[in-house]
Amino acid sequence: MPSLLSDDISEAVETGITPGGTTGAFRDVLSKHHAHRRKPPVHFTDMSDGEREEALKELGYPKFRASQLARHYFSHYTTDVAGYSDFPQDQAGTVKQRFFPDLITPLFEQTADNGATIKTLWQLFDGSRIESVLMKYPTRTTLCISSQVGCGMGCPFCATGQLGLTRNMSAGEILEQVRYAAAQARDGALGEPARLSNIVFMGMGEALGNYNAMLKTIRQISALPPHGFGISARNITVSTVGIVPGIKKLMNEHIPVRLAVSLHAPSDKLRDELVPMNKRFNTTQVLDAAHDYYMATKRRVSIEYALMKGINDQAGHARLLAKRLNHYGDDWVHVNPIPLNPIEGSRWTASKPEDEARFLDILHNAGIAATLRDTRGSDIDGACGQLAARVKDSGVLRTVQ
């Protein structure tokens, strides 16, 4: 039997290329680094209970020590084994390196909205960079997390889409964003102590393109301590451009996470331009799958719709969107029109306020639940991928202390 002190217990990291992504009308957009992607070190959260116990056994510890490590990680948000008063210290450094290798390091932080928003640029073990955003609202504290390095969906108005896909992130890398943010919220980084209550997979990457790690992450976010962070699955949102096989697979997991579909256009002709994946899974296929998800879970689906000046924000677009959604019946979706956070120098710009208001009114008059998204971080590099791109282009970097 191979030693569990090697990386052999980790599943091979998926390529991140979505079903059908190498042939056909749309092929996933890969960065120049995709062919050289590396597998992250195995983290405590990448292991099953049995794998944790076996690895501890090889270090000479009884299996109950696995529960102690889990309690410190998921309840106290710490990986400093040397500081665990209930854990033997003779091999603290070895245990730390074996179970809690440094997968992500905060490089740069931006704050906005009078301290209610913190955006963090992370460096991963291989030098890759990703972003997360922690946001305080009156009734909740939400973390937007990344699941891939870059993105292969190629949406022209999205900063991350311009990076291409480098690789999938491991469950450990994704969950480390959660642990760090939970500690920040607890310690008052947003102005006062708060409990991290909501998670949205709306950062860098297509979460359904990293399905196994995403699912492992969801299970550990929602499991009660000491098996997870204890954040309700109902407070987790998975966003997708419309990977139909992934939507159906997630539906069959019977986990009550909310599905968010990044639609951005009501017709195939326009969506082919804005969301190239539409050439593989068109609007009818995506909306059919989204409605099936609603029917199976009884959870309203969110329709994300980035409003772009003169492109998809006119009255005709709103009326067609309402018609397409009402085709499936009442009260199954909630539309989030989103004021675009434009990429510097891009032709894709934010809609006029009067056009945003008209778009919303048309949806409401058609009986569609809709709320204009509260756009956080508009005074910083708010859209995912913007901070990474700006730092990459300028070479300016301030290490977080």
Side-chain angles (χ1 to χ4, degrees), residues 95-355:
V95 173
K96 164 69 170 68
Q97 188 57 38
R98 178 63 193 96
F99 292 100
F100 304 118
D102 294 327
L103 298 182
I104 68 175
T105 303
L107 290 181
F108 191 86
E109 286 184 352
Q110 291 180 322
T111 59
D113 307 306
N114 297 315
T117 300
I118 302 174
K119 183 165 192 175
T120 304
L121 176 68
W122 299 95
Q123 180 163 292
L124 308 187
F125 81 101
D126 58 357
S128 299
R129 291 172 182 172
I130 56 100
E131 300 169 17
S132 63
V133 186
L134 181 62
M135 298 162 283
K136 181 74 171 67
Y137 295 93
T139 60
R140 68 187 187 280
T141 301
T142 299
L143 176 67
C144 178
I145 57 176
S146 294
S147 56
Q148 293 180 317
V149 178
C151 182
M153 299 299 96
C155 300
F157 59 88
C158 173
T160 305
Q162 309 314 299
L163 300 174
L165 174 66
T166 294
R167 67 172 176 86
N168 276 343
M169 295 172 63
S170 67
E173 290 174 313
I174 302 171
L175 284 160
E176 275 290 86
Q177 297 170 75
V178 179
R179 180 188 67 82
Y180 186 89
Q184 279 187 306
R186 177 199 62 195
D187 296 340
L190 295 168
E192 59 183 10
R195 180 182 180 275
L196 182 62
S197 60
N198 293 67
I199 303 293
V200 294
F201 284 82
M202 294 184 178
M204 297 174 72
E206 165 60 53
L208 295 184
N210 189 11
Y211 191 89
N212 290 340
M214 177 204 71
L215 185 63
K216 185 177 289 188
T217 297
I218 288 171
R219 293 192 188 283
Q220 292 181 84
I221 291 173
S222 58
L224 293 175
H227 306 291
F229 290 112
I231 298 173
S232 171
R234 299 183 69 83
N235 291 348
I236 300 173
T237 298
V238 174
S239 179
T240 177
V241 298
I243 311 299
V244 171
I247 294 173
K248 294 179 177 178
K249 191 173 181 180
L250 183 61
M251 177 180 70
N252 291 325
E253 302 289 353
H254 305 292
I255 303 173
V257 298
R258 184 178 299 280
L259 176 70
V261 175
S262 297
L263 194 65
H264 305 311
S267 68
D268 285 326
K269 182 177 180 181
L270 180 56
R271 196 167 191 261
D272 280 352
E273 180 182 1
L274 297 181
V275 185
M277 176 60 76
N278 197 70
K279 297 172 185 175
R280 194 184 312 162
F281 303 115
N282 64 34
T283 55
T284 298
Q285 292 171 298
V286 171
L287 291 174
D288 281 351
H291 185 257
D292 287 346
Y293 189 92
Y294 162 75
M295 293 298 291
T297 63
K298 302 305 179 187
R299 300 219 63 198
R300 278 203 303 185
V301 173
S302 293
I303 299 294
E304 309 297 298
Y305 195 103
L307 292 167
M308 299 169 229
K309 183 179 178 180
I311 303 294
N312 66 349
D313 63 347
Q314 299 304 294
H317 298 121
R319 285 192 288 268
L320 181 55
L321 177 61
K323 180 180 179 181
R324 296 292 305 273
L325 298 179
N326 279 331
H327 166 75
Y328 296 91
D330 299 330
D331 202 35
W332 72 279
V333 292
H334 188 283
V335 178
N336 287 314
I338 307 166
L340 184 71
N341 202 331
I343 307 170
E344 186 175 348
S346 169
R347 72 182 182 92
W348 314 95
T349 58
S351 298
K352 299 177 181 177
E354 57 266 32
D355 289 340

Side-chain angles (χ1 to χ4, degrees), residues 81-103:
V81 179
Y84 296 176
S85 61
D86 59 351
F87 198 92
Q89 294 300 298
D90 54 329
Q91 296 188 81
T94 301
V95 173
K96 164 69 170 68
Q97 188 57 38
R98 178 63 193 96
F99 292 100
F100 304 118
D102 294 327
L103 298 182

